[in-house]
Amino acid sequence: MQLYNTLSAKERAALIKEAGQERLTISFYTYAHIGNPSIFRNHLFIHWDELEVLGRIYVAHEGINAQLSVPAENFEKFKAHLDSISFLENVRLNIAIEQDNLSFLKLKVKVRKKIVADGLNDETFDVTNKGIHVGAEQFNELIEDPDAVLVDMRNHYESEIGHFKNAITPDVDTFRDSLDIIEKDLADHKEDKKLVMYCTGGIRCEKASAYYKHKGFKQVYQLEGGIIEYARQVEKKNLENKFKGKNFVFDHRRGERISDDVIAQCHQCGKACDTHENCANEACHLLFIQCTECAEKMDNCCSTECQEVHNLPYEEQKALRKGKVVSNKIFKKGRSEVLKFKK
Ligand SMILES: [Zn+2]
Ligand SMILES: [Zn+2]
């Protein structure tokens, strides 16, 4: 039985082009109790390979997180297969608007410890005991309720460029940190307040809502499908849009505009701006907000130091980097002494 890819990415790309078939790009996730992730992994691979599914799927004891593409003509069969798995029946599928037929070139189903690296190693709570899911319409009503506390479950650099009005936006670098801060802040309101939360696509709230229920919060609500789905519903149903600014996304676009408001400022000159850039110095790569004028003046760098390095011949830059670990500064995003206008 074939349980692994037999075609290389190049061969696959050629085949897709040749066939000229339309593919749908789909993502979904769910927390569930999966007894034997390896068996489940093989089960998925066998069925999905048959349906010519390509993508990156993580399977763990705690659930599944999938990003994939499927030929449009096989979609019904694929959906039927999902519905045959009890915890995936009617799972919400995000079908990408930006169609890219070459978005994935292999089927990779991997067994992981977790479906999202969330830094939460508390095994004592039930991840499937989630909060109440609300759609955009109900969410709009709920957040006007005086007994509701609205919490943004994302990190500082995400909420900085866009968030719901009146939301608490924790000044944190990681999901793990925000869990603790919010619990502490709301410790006296576990029973009397409605805890309403949202994130980018909903997956962080799946975990967070279960965590807060475990910690004693009685009324926990979460925005179904996150800001991405909210924006879609607002448009489709012509609802009032209560989100201001951009939704930070983790692909090359960095941010998806949801309203015309620009709520952030250039970290270098302070003028209204909500465009994230990475410092052009390969050894820095700091993610920060930079306007076009500053980008030009600074050669797309975060500081004059970085600018100097960036303007050295490539070989000299390489020599400077030698032996140093170049990370993308994941825990320093938007945080640096040189950013004078970072709030
Ligand atoms: Zn500027
Ligand atoms: Zn820099």
Side-chain angles (χ1 to χ4, degrees):
M1 204 181 310
Q2 184 228 327
L3 289 173
Y4 296 93
N5 292 289
T6 47
L7 289 177
S8 73
K10 216 171 151 188
E11 289 165 331
R12 178 72 71 180
L15 272 184
I16 291 173
K17 276 210 175 110
E18 209 173 291
Q21 58 183 179
E22 187 194 347
R23 297 184 73 89
L24 302 172
T25 303
I26 296 169
S27 67
F28 67 89
Y29 54 78
T30 196
Y31 283 97
H33 299 296
I34 297 175
N36 191 328
S38 301
I39 291 180
F40 182 58
R41 180 257 166 217
N42 290 347
H43 173 78
L44 293 182
F45 190 93
I46 291 165
H47 284 83
W48 291 0
D49 188 52
E50 231 174 66
L51 297 175
E52 295 169 69
V53 172
L54 301 171
R56 191 177 54 238
I57 296 98
Y58 296 133
V59 174
H61 281 296
E62 66 173 21
I64 175 169
N65 187 5
Q67 288 174 300
L68 52 83
S69 79
V70 60
E73 58 180 32
N74 289 346
F75 178 75
E76 289 305 321
K77 282 185 196 154
F78 174 73
K79 179 75 176 85
H81 180 247
L82 288 183
D83 287 342
S84 73
I85 300 164
S86 61
F87 58 86
L88 292 178
E89 195 178 351
N90 294 322
V91 68
R92 193 174 43 77
L93 302 178
N94 296 308
I95 300 176
I97 305 166
E98 279 188 319
Q99 297 296 349
D100 181 357
N101 289 340
L102 298 173
S103 49
F104 297 103
L105 294 171
K106 286 193 172 192
L107 176 59
K108 288 183 182 169
V109 190
K110 293 187 170 174
V111 175
R112 284 274 163 96
K113 254 194 97 190
K114 301 179 147 240
I115 58 170
V116 181
D118 53 21
L120 193 58
N121 297 314
D122 187 342
E123 310 274 323
T124 63
F125 73 100
D126 181 356
V127 289
T128 65
N129 182 24
K130 308 159 193 178
I132 299 167
H133 290 88
V134 293
E137 208 164 350
Q138 206 187 339
F139 183 82
N140 274 355
E141 277 170 35
L142 196 55
I143 62 178
E144 300 299 335
D145 184 337
D147 284 330
V149 181
L150 181 59
V151 179
D152 190 320
M153 291 309 303
R154 302 169 304 152
N155 303 328
H156 71 98
Y157 55 87
E158 300 174 274
S159 55
E160 186 175 6
I161 59 166
H163 54 78
F164 283 99
K165 61 178 186 191
N166 302 329
I168 297 172
T169 55
D171 185 25
V172 294
D173 290 309
T174 68
F175 175 71
R176 184 74 197 87
D177 291 346
S178 66
L179 286 177
D180 291 341
I181 285 179
I182 292 158
E183 200 204 340
K184 227 171 100 199
D185 278 7
L186 301 176
D188 297 332
H189 298 290
K190 289 187 175 178
E191 308 218 343
D192 63 330
K193 292 284 186 196
K194 292 173 181 161
L195 181 58
V196 186
M197 59 182 78
Y198 67 91
C199 62
T200 312
I203 194 165
R204 282 180 270 188
C205 292
E206 293 286 294
K207 196 70 163 276
S209 65
Y211 181 78
Y212 288 125
K213 282 176 83 173
H214 167 70
K215 290 286 180 181
F217 285 87
K218 295 284 181 257
Q219 310 175 71
V220 182
Y221 296 84
Q222 61 196 95
L223 178 58
E224 161 102 57
I227 302 159
I228 295 172
E229 179 62 22
Y230 177 88
R232 227 174 261 160
Q233 287 185 23
V234 160
E235 181 147 326
K236 205 169 105 192
K237 300 179 185 170
N238 204 13
L239 307 172
E240 185 190 344
N241 174 22
K242 299 194 178 192
F243 188 92
K244 303 266 168 269
K246 268 184 181 172
N247 181 26
F248 186 97
V249 291
F250 292 90
D251 59 35
H252 60 95
R253 293 170 300 156
R254 304 245 172 82
E256 208 173 37
R257 183 159 295 291
I258 312 287
S259 89
D260 292 334
D261 312 79
V262 176
I263 65 164
Q265 54 185 165
C266 173
H267 286 160
Q268 287 174 324
C269 73
K271 88 172 197 196
C273 176
D274 57 7
T275 308
H276 274 106
E277 300 291 350
N278 280 109
C279 176
N281 175 10
E282 289 295 329
C284 174
H285 225 247
L286 181 73
L287 181 77
F288 68 112
I289 298 173
Q290 187 178 45
C291 73
T292 45
E293 287 81 14
C294 289
E296 194 168 327
K297 200 170 80 193
M298 301 294 294
D299 297 323
N300 303 92
C301 289
C302 75
S303 62
T304 44
E305 288 77 16
C306 281
Q307 193 176 11
E308 276 163 28
V309 174
H310 177 60
N311 287 330
L312 290 172
Y314 184 68
E315 287 305 314
E316 273 178 59
Q317 286 187 45
K318 242 171 90 179
L320 276 176
R321 284 207 293 276
K322 213 169 174 191
K324 284 187 200 152
V325 182
V326 181
S327 72
N328 66 351
K329 300 211 166 188
I330 189 149
F331 295 120
K332 285 189 182 154
K333 283 178 178 158
R335 293 212 201 277
S336 166
E337 300 271 296
V338 301
L339 303 177
K340 295 188 191 68
F341 289 90
K342 164 70 184 167
K343 275 192 251 177

